[in-house]
Every structure is written in structure tokens, then in C-alpha cells.
Amino acid sequence: MSDLLSKDVRRIDAAALSNVLRRLAAQPAAPWLHSEVARRMAERLALIRLQPERIIDWWSFLGGSSAVLNAAYPKAQRIAVEPTEALLERSRQGNLRPWWSAWRPGAGRAEVVAEQAALPGHLQPAQLVWANMMLHAVEDPPALISRWQQSLSADGFVMFSCLGPDTLRELRSVYRRLGWPAPTIAFVDMHDLGDMLVQAGFADPVMDQETITLSWSDPRLALDELRSMGGNTLPERSAGLRTPRWKAGLEAELTTLKGGDGRFHLSFEIAYGHAFKALPRATSGGETSVSLDDMRSLLRSGRGAG
């Protein structure tokens, strides 16, 4: 595996991450890019035969996926897992409906759970763990992927997306040229993510990636949109508040990225992954133990047939 898996490389300032999540929780909606990636990821659900009865939607509000999940699986129970109290409240608000709207009990609603309480064994196993555009923000991806695996029933699968290492390569080049610390933490390569899935007990992971390029006419608009997506949680980032003079200098540097169309472009590498929970393996004595609930799930999905 590459050195991107090293915690020395992927160190994240926990206080900075907390501040970023608090700020994002106050936004009117999930970042536009997150919602667009959720739409694209949902198109891949057509490849999966299993119809989940329970879905765990990890970091639900910022993932912007409730609409696509409700459309894909209208009968499924959705559990929204959130990392902070502010985001818990946003997901709770998402369950509220105006008095005049068409409503039936449970329709489009989610059970809202704090991330620290969503431990394996504390929740009823799900058939799908969905995590849109959040895995790149955690310090220990292998530990979280293992936690997802333990949260799934025997027939369950995970589907996720996250930023890849080629994200904001243009902005990184500007920062390097100016001798500034990197503008983001290091992002994990999709092949390493596939290895993590196998090590966590998933079978035959399928990884894919694409590059989404956004463009702006004004660097101020770009910086505003980048801020709406997150923030720099790298411990080595420059300390202290930025001055208006520094911001004006950055905006001037960004104009050097303009293309022939008079706009400047920034790239976002999006990694997609999905994998099924590996079937139980027999012991050296030729026997294995499968719970009754897991056996029912295997038979229902057809994965238990020989």
C-alpha cells in the first residue's frame, strides 16, 4: 500500500475539523458537489439486485443523499448517522414536514443517530451502508470501513464516494509555487481504498473514479464555493487569521489558472466504491457458524444458494 495510508500523512486537526463541520451544518443545504455526486452514485444502484430493508446513511446531511435514497428504496428504513450535535439537529429538521404537505407515517423520514452511538451491535444490521463524500475527511479510513462491515447483515453491501488525490491539483500547484503549506489534507488513492475493503472483510470490491471540473469567471466565487464544501484541516496549515491583503493576493494568483475560455478551472477527483460483505468462511474443521438472521438474509438475497 502507498504511504497515503500512513497516519503521519493523513493527520487531521480535530479542532479544525470540528469547526468546519459546525460551519457546514449552518448552511441551507449540502454542498452542490456532494448532491451531484450522490445523484451519480445512485445511478450505480441499478447494478445491485438486492433491495435493502434498512439503510445506514453515514454523515447524512452533508452527503445530500436523502432524496436519491428515498427514490431508489421508498420502502426502506433509513438511519441517518451524524458526527456532531449540530448535524444531528439538521437531520432531525429534515424529518419535519409542513402541515399542508402530503404525508404518511414513515414516508421519507429517517431515524437520526449520533456517530459515537452507531456502534456495531447497537443498531440492527442493515443491508446497505451509504457514505457519500465523507470518507476523505476521517483520519483512520480502515477503522471506519471495518465498522461499516460489522454494521451490515450477511447479504449487505457498502457504497461510498470520496475525494481522490488529484483533487484541486491546480490549487495545490499555486500553493507549492508560493511556498505555502498544502491547501488540503492528503486524499487516499482508490486502489488503497479497495485494499482496505478487502482487509475489512468485503468481497470483490469494485472501484471507479472520475474527474469533475468546475469553472468560475471570478476567483472570489471559487473561494466561496470551496468554503461551502469544507476547509483545510491539515495540522501544518498556516496559523492565524488570513488578512484581506493575503486573500487579494490569492485571488490574483488564481487568475493565472484561466483557460482560453476566460474562466479558470479546478479539478475534483471522485472515487467511487462498492462491495458486498464477504460470506462466512468455513473453519479448518469444515464447519462455520452463521446466525439465524444472517442465514435468512442470505437465502432472501440468493447469495446462499450453491
Side-chain angles (χ1 to χ4, degrees):
M1 291 190 184
S2 78
D3 60 1
L4 285 176
L5 301 190
S6 167
K7 285 191 177 182
D8 290 335
V9 175
R10 280 200 50 80
R11 285 187 301 135
I12 293 176
D13 185 325
L17 177 59
S18 178
N19 290 334
V20 168
L21 293 178
R22 185 184 308 112
R23 174 168 53 79
L24 296 184
Q27 295 184 164
W32 175 88
L33 182 61
H34 292 199
S35 298
E36 173 61 18
V37 172
R39 182 190 66 79
R40 298 184 184 203
M41 187 161 73
E43 293 176 350
R44 291 163 162 77
L45 291 172
L47 304 174
I48 308 296
R49 181 177 61 179
L50 175 68
Q51 292 292 304
E53 297 176 0
R54 286 172 55 83
I55 300 168
I56 297 177
D57 183 7
W58 214 269
W59 289 25
S60 177
F61 174 75
L62 294 179
S65 303
S66 58
V68 296
L69 289 174
N70 290 334
Y73 304 117
K75 297 181 180 179
Q77 178 189 9
R78 186 167 59 89
I79 299 92
V81 174
E82 297 291 9
T84 69
E85 183 58 40
L87 287 165
L88 280 166
E89 183 57 31
R90 291 309 303 268
S91 279
R92 294 186 188 111
Q93 292 174 8
N95 279 334
L96 301 178
R97 293 173 178 268
W99 63 268
W100 43 262
S101 67
W103 181 84
R104 66 183 186 277
R109 295 169 63 86
E111 177 185 350
V112 183
V113 179
E115 186 173 38
Q116 61 267 30
L119 300 173
H122 288 218
L123 294 176
Q124 183 179 343
Q127 288 75 47
L128 168 59
V129 168
W130 173 281
N132 183 48
M133 292 292 280
M134 57 75 54
L135 187 58
H136 55 259
V138 302
E139 182 180 24
D140 194 349
L144 182 57
I145 291 172
S146 179
R147 188 171 169 185
W148 291 344
Q149 194 269 357
Q150 296 171 54
S151 300
L152 287 167
S153 60
D155 60 339
F157 68 104
V158 65
M159 185 167 283
F160 66 89
S161 63
C162 59
L163 295 175
D166 214 25
T167 295
L168 295 177
R169 63 176 181 268
E170 303 89 351
L171 186 62
R172 290 174 180 275
S173 69
V174 169
Y175 273 56
R176 281 195 301 270
R177 176 163 50 82
L178 296 173
W180 295 346
T184 72
I185 59 173
F187 299 126
V188 181
D189 181 81
M190 72 171 184
H191 299 99
D192 291 328
L193 292 170
D195 290 341
M196 294 177 196
L197 288 167
V198 172
Q199 290 182 355
F202 284 99
D204 302 322
V206 176
M207 301 298 304
D208 189 16
Q209 71 88 26
E210 66 174 332
T211 298
I212 297 177
T213 302
L214 303 184
S215 68
W216 300 265
S217 60
D218 188 320
R220 287 171 293 183
L221 298 177
L223 294 177
D224 287 344
E225 185 152 4
L226 289 178
R227 183 173 171 80
S228 77
M229 296 179 193
N232 190 357
T233 58
L234 189 71
E236 292 80 15
R237 71 192 185 283
S238 297
L241 296 175
R242 297 298 196 182
T243 65
R245 181 178 178 181
W246 178 91
K247 185 178 180 183
L250 175 58
E251 292 172 358
E253 292 292 339
L254 289 179
T255 61
T256 66
L257 302 177
K258 280 190 176 182
D261 58 358
R263 300 171 65 86
F264 64 95
H265 306 77
L266 294 176
S267 304
F268 297 83
E269 179 185 341
I270 311 298
Y272 300 93
H274 76 260
F276 278 86
K277 186 170 183 174
L279 297 177
R281 294 183 178 181
T283 64
S284 58
E287 297 180 355
T288 189
S289 174
V290 181
S291 72
L292 181 59
D293 286 343
D294 280 351
M295 181 59 71
R296 287 170 176 162
S297 296
L298 289 169
L299 294 174
R300 185 170 57 248
S301 68
R303 296 183 76 206

